[in-house]
């Protein structure tokens, strides 16, 4: 295993507790929605996007039809398009045959951790780093789903609370170290301030809309 | 939904999601667009990271959660940021922050 994959695994291990906690939630939600255990594990393997999985289970509980379940999941996952678009800049020489497989594992964490690593201008192979993050976070997601299905709602609340804090704290630390210049700071402030109200107005879309809006406004101002 | 319907629904959702994830890597015009709008995408990335933080602090299951728990989360965040400034060690800062928040929640009996 290359050293850069190991670096990615180390970076991913900081996000792993949050992944376990979130996917425990997926496992519990699947049980509540009456989703068969194997189908819940399959959803993590195949979709690997907790918000979309929650949305799918929610539509199913409301007796939505198959097409509704698929549509809501795909719409909730639109953000992956922007994330992959950004990642294309970091993997310019990686053969498409390899990207065909690894594209499946683009998530907010694998994308953002690779993005922040790219800014350090180190000699790290970013594709290997990305794969390391994926290995760690994907395993954490699978473990979380299986644990969630097994224990149901019996997880101690204090444990769940602590685990969910790892990802926001980790991203705060990265932002503290990596934000440079007034335009990047402005993007951070817009993201911080606009995401919660927009999420309340348009659940599942607020984060995406605030980020696209921030990028568009600052790109225009910068010109 | 029956098992077969779940299989079809998940496969459909996975296929649609995969197209969104893979298209920019596999379709040259999209790759070029990624290169062209790199500054825009950089700002979007910062805003997404910041949005994940504020969402986790202020919302709980899609609802505004501004009760005492937000102060506990802020304490955890402040401890982590302080620890990182002092020690420059991310894992240590992470565990210090999350640990403090859990301890504060336990002490407050929440």
């Amino acid at each position: 295993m290359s050293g850069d994959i190991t670096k990615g695994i180390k970076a991913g291990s900081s996000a792993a507790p949050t992944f376990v906690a979130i996917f425990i939630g997926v496992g519990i939600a699947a049980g509540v929605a009456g989703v068969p255990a194997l189908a819940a594990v399959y959803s993590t393997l195949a979709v690997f996007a907790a918000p979309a999985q929650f949305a799918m289970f929610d539509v199913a509980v409301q007796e939505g039809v198959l097409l509704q379940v698929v549509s809501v999941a795909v719409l909730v996952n639109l953000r992956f398009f922007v994330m992959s678009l950004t990642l294309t800049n970091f993997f310019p020489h990686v053969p498409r045959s390899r990207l065909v497989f690894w594209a499946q594992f683009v998530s907010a964490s694998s994308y953002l951790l690779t993005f922040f690593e790219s800014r350090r201008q180190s000699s790290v192979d970013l594709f290997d780093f990305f794969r390391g993050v994926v290995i760690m976070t994907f395993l954490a997601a699978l473990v979380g789903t299986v644990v969630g299905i097994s224990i149901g709602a019996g997880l101690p609340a204090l444990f769940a609370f602590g685990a969910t804090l790892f990802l926001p704290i980790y991203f705060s630390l990265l932002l503290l170290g990596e934000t440079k210049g007034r335009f990047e700071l402005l993007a951070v402030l817009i993201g911080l301030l606009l995401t919660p109200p927009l999420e309340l107005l348009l659940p599942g879309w607020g984060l995406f809309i605030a980020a696209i809006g921030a990028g568009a406004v600052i790109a225009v101002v910068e010109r | 939904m029956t098992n077969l319907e779940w299989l079809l629904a998940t496969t459909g959702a996975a296929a649609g999601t995969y197209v969104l994830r893979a298209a920019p890597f596999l379709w040259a015009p999209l790759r070029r667009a990624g290169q062209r709008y790199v500054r825009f995408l950089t700002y979007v990335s910062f805003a997404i990271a910041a949005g994940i933080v504020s969402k986790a602090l202020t919302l709980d299951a899609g609802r505004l959660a501004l009760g005492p728990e937000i102060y506990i989360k802020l304490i955890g965040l402040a401890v982590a940021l302080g620890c990182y400034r002092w020690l420059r060690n991310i894992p240590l800062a992470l565990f210090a922050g999350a640990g403090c928040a859990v301890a504060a929640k336990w002490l407050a009996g929440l």
Side-chain angles (χ1 to χ4, degrees):
Chain A
M1 191 183 292
S2 94
D4 294 338
I5 291 184
T6 311
K7 279 184 187 168
I9 289 174
K10 277 185 189 164
S13 64
S14 299
T18 300
F19 263 76
V20 172
I22 290 171
F23 279 88
I24 283 175
V26 168
I28 292 171
V32 171
V35 180
L38 276 179
V41 174
Y42 175 57
S43 76
T44 295
L45 280 169
V47 181
F48 184 44
Q53 290 168 259
F54 280 123
M56 285 168 67
F57 301 154
D58 192 45
V59 173
V61 165
Q62 293 161 27
E63 297 183 357
V65 294
L66 201 141
L67 190 63
Q68 277 176 303
V69 176
V70 174
S71 306
V72 79
V74 174
L75 282 174
V76 168
N77 284 340
L78 264 177
R79 66 193 184 285
F80 290 130
F81 179 77
V82 176
M83 295 180 189
S84 290
L85 203 60
T86 311
L87 286 171
T88 56
N89 292 302
F90 309 140
F91 313 147
H93 305 300
V94 178
R96 284 184 193 180
S97 55
R98 297 181 79 191
L99 291 169
V100 164
F101 175 74
W102 289 96
Q104 165 66 14
F105 304 101
V106 171
S107 68
S109 293
S110 60
Y111 142 72
L112 282 173
L113 294 180
T114 308
F115 168 75
F116 284 120
E117 186 61 32
S118 76
R119 295 173 55 84
R120 296 194 178 122
Q121 296 178 338
S122 59
S123 56
V124 167
D125 180 322
L126 288 172
F127 186 60
D128 280 352
F129 182 88
F130 169 81
R131 290 194 296 156
V133 175
V134 164
I135 289 167
M136 198 65 209
T137 51
F138 187 63
L139 282 177
L142 275 180
V143 168
T145 307
V146 172
V147 171
I149 293 166
S150 309
I151 63 168
L155 182 75
L158 208 56
F159 175 82
F161 172 76
T164 55
L165 289 179
F166 276 81
L167 196 66
I169 291 178
Y170 190 26
F171 284 155
S172 305
L173 296 174
L174 290 172
L175 285 170
L176 182 72
E178 300 297 331
T179 308
K180 294 178 183 91
R182 59 194 168 124
F183 290 123
E184 290 178 3
L185 183 63
L186 185 59
V188 170
L189 289 175
I190 293 175
L192 279 175
L193 296 174
L194 285 190
T195 300
L198 286 173
E199 274 292 333
L200 286 173
L201 281 173
L202 299 160
W205 287 90
L207 178 70
F208 184 67
I209 293 171
I212 294 285
V217 167
I218 298 170
V220 168
V221 171
E222 197 181 32
R223 276 186 199 172
Chain B
M1 287 173 80
T2 64
N3 286 357
L4 178 65
E5 283 172 327
W6 268 114
L7 179 71
L8 291 173
T10 307
T11 304
T17 304
Y18 178 76
V19 169
L20 293 171
R21 280 173 165 142
F25 293 116
L26 305 179
W27 196 33
L30 285 176
R31 271 186 104 123
R32 282 196 292 276
Q35 287 156 7
R36 196 169 163 196
Y37 297 107
V38 68
R39 295 297 302 159
F40 162 75
L41 293 169
T42 299
Y43 299 134
V44 169
S45 304
F46 273 100
I48 286 179
I52 287 172
V53 174
S54 63
K55 200 174 135 186
L57 289 177
T58 57
L59 303 181
D60 185 17
R63 295 198 190 106
L64 201 59
L66 296 178
E69 220 164 67
I70 193 174
Y71 298 107
I72 289 171
K73 289 176 181 173
L74 287 172
I75 288 170
L77 188 62
V79 168
L81 293 175
C83 223
Y84 178 68
R85 277 233 175 241
W86 183 35
L87 300 168
R88 290 277 151 194
N89 184 316
I90 284 185
L92 210 61
L94 258 178
F95 278 95
C100 269
V102 167
K105 189 173 160 74
W106 180 68
L107 286 171
L110 293 170

